[in-house]
């Protein structure tokens, strides 16, 4: 209590025990923990930025064209449980390994018959990008030099 007994004297709490030289370090421990946590986020964050995938090499600006003639055309459609590829009167499921390897063999066989090794892919907008990357990987391993993903252009309404 104070000398007039209005309020009790202030105690040192947890600081009353332990050596005096350790007290500044103990006060800095929460800040050291935060800095260590930020450092760990930085280290772990760098490992997730690189991943395997299909590298698409874009042409130089001198070679840019609106389109290219392609003899090989694949239609990609999403279904409720799988993604189907229709190619040369055949139907293949990208998610099934046996079907995907059969598609790759069929694509390689057809690519050997054509001079231009360009595949035109007509994909629905609901097809996941991962499935398109699998298709691009299969096409690359089958000997395709270029893969052209078709785009939908807005039509002008004429009256």
């Amino acid at each position: 209590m104070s000398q007039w007994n209005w309020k009790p004297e202030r105690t040192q709490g947890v600081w009353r025990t332990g050596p005096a030289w350790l007290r500044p370090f103990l006060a800095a421990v929460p800040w050291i923990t935060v800095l260590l946590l930020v450092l760990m986020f930085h280290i772990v964050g760098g490992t997730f930025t690189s991943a395997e995938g299909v590298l698409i090499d874009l042409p130089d600006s001198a070679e840019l064209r609106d389109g290219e003639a392609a003899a090989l055309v694949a239609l990609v459609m999403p279904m409720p449980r799988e993604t189907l590829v229709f190619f040369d009167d055949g139907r293949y499921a990208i998610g099934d390994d046996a079907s995907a390897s059969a598609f790759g063999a069929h694509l390689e066989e057809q690519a050997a018959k054509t001079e231009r090794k360009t595949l035109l892919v007509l994909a629905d907008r609901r097809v996941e990008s991962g499935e398109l990357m699998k298709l691009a990987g299969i096409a690359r391993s089958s000997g395709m030099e270029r893969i052209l993903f078709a785009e939908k252009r807005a039509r002008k309404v004429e009256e």
Side-chain angles (χ1 to χ4, degrees), residues 52-67:
E52 292 184 14
V54 177
L55 177 64
I56 297 174
D57 190 16
L58 297 175
D60 294 333
S61 61
E63 298 179 18
L64 288 179
R65 290 174 276 203
D66 282 342

Side-chain angles (χ1 to χ4, degrees), residues 96-119:
D96 183 27
D97 292 336
S99 181
S101 63
F103 169 64
H106 188 188
L107 185 61
E108 186 175 357
E109 176 185 319
Q110 293 298 323
K113 295 178 183 178
T114 62
E115 184 178 322
R116 286 189 153 181
K117 305 221 183 305
T118 302
L119 176 66

